[in-house]
Amino acid sequence: MSKPDELLTVLAATVESEQSTQMSLTVVTGGTVITGRLAPEAVWRRRVSEVLKDSDHLGPFATAFTALDADGATAPAGTPTHLHFHVARILQGTMGIPETGGMYRVALSDVNAWTVGDFSYSDH
């Protein structure tokens, strides 16, 4: 893995420290473009767990996202290693999938390029 971009790491740390879900970001990773808003890891984990709990087939996996460590925290302390996207889409051609937005976790070291803001498409 490559060394993560220092500025992108600072942005991820700010999302964590401010507990903000308002930072829009677009990244390229492995040739895939992902666009959406960042969330603190604990918020992202909680939301993924809620979605899984509602599934008859995936419910048992929900606890993996809310398991507490010895200190009672759901996210590791220190420098972030991943970006946690919510209401995010993978851009493919002229459309974003899923249309309603999804939850994605991307290793900072796997980001090849990035820009602040998200991309939206319209049919017009």
Side-chain angles (χ1 to χ4, degrees), residues 61-82:
F61 296 98
T63 57
F65 290 88
T66 56
L68 301 179
D69 64 17
D71 297 327
T74 57
T79 303
T81 57
H82 291 77

Side-chain angles (χ1 to χ4, degrees), residues 35-49:
T35 189
R37 288 190 305 181
L38 296 178
E41 183 174 355
V43 171
W44 182 87
R45 284 175 174 252
R46 192 167 39 253
R47 180 66 185 122
V48 171
S49 177

Side-chain angles (χ1 to χ4, degrees), residues 8 13 20 24 32 35 53 62 79 83 86 89 93 100 113 122-123:
L8 187 56
S20 172
S24 295
T32 301
T35 189
K53 279 181 191 174
T79 303
L83 298 170
H86 69 118
R89 293 174 313 281
T100 57
S122 70
D123 295 332

Side-chain angles (χ1 to χ4, degrees), residues 4 6 17 28 33 36 39 51 56 60 66 79 86 90 92 103 107:
E6 290 178 23
S17 68
V28 177
V33 179
V51 170
D56 291 335
T66 56
T79 303
H86 69 118
I90 294 174
Q92 183 175 11
M103 309 287 283

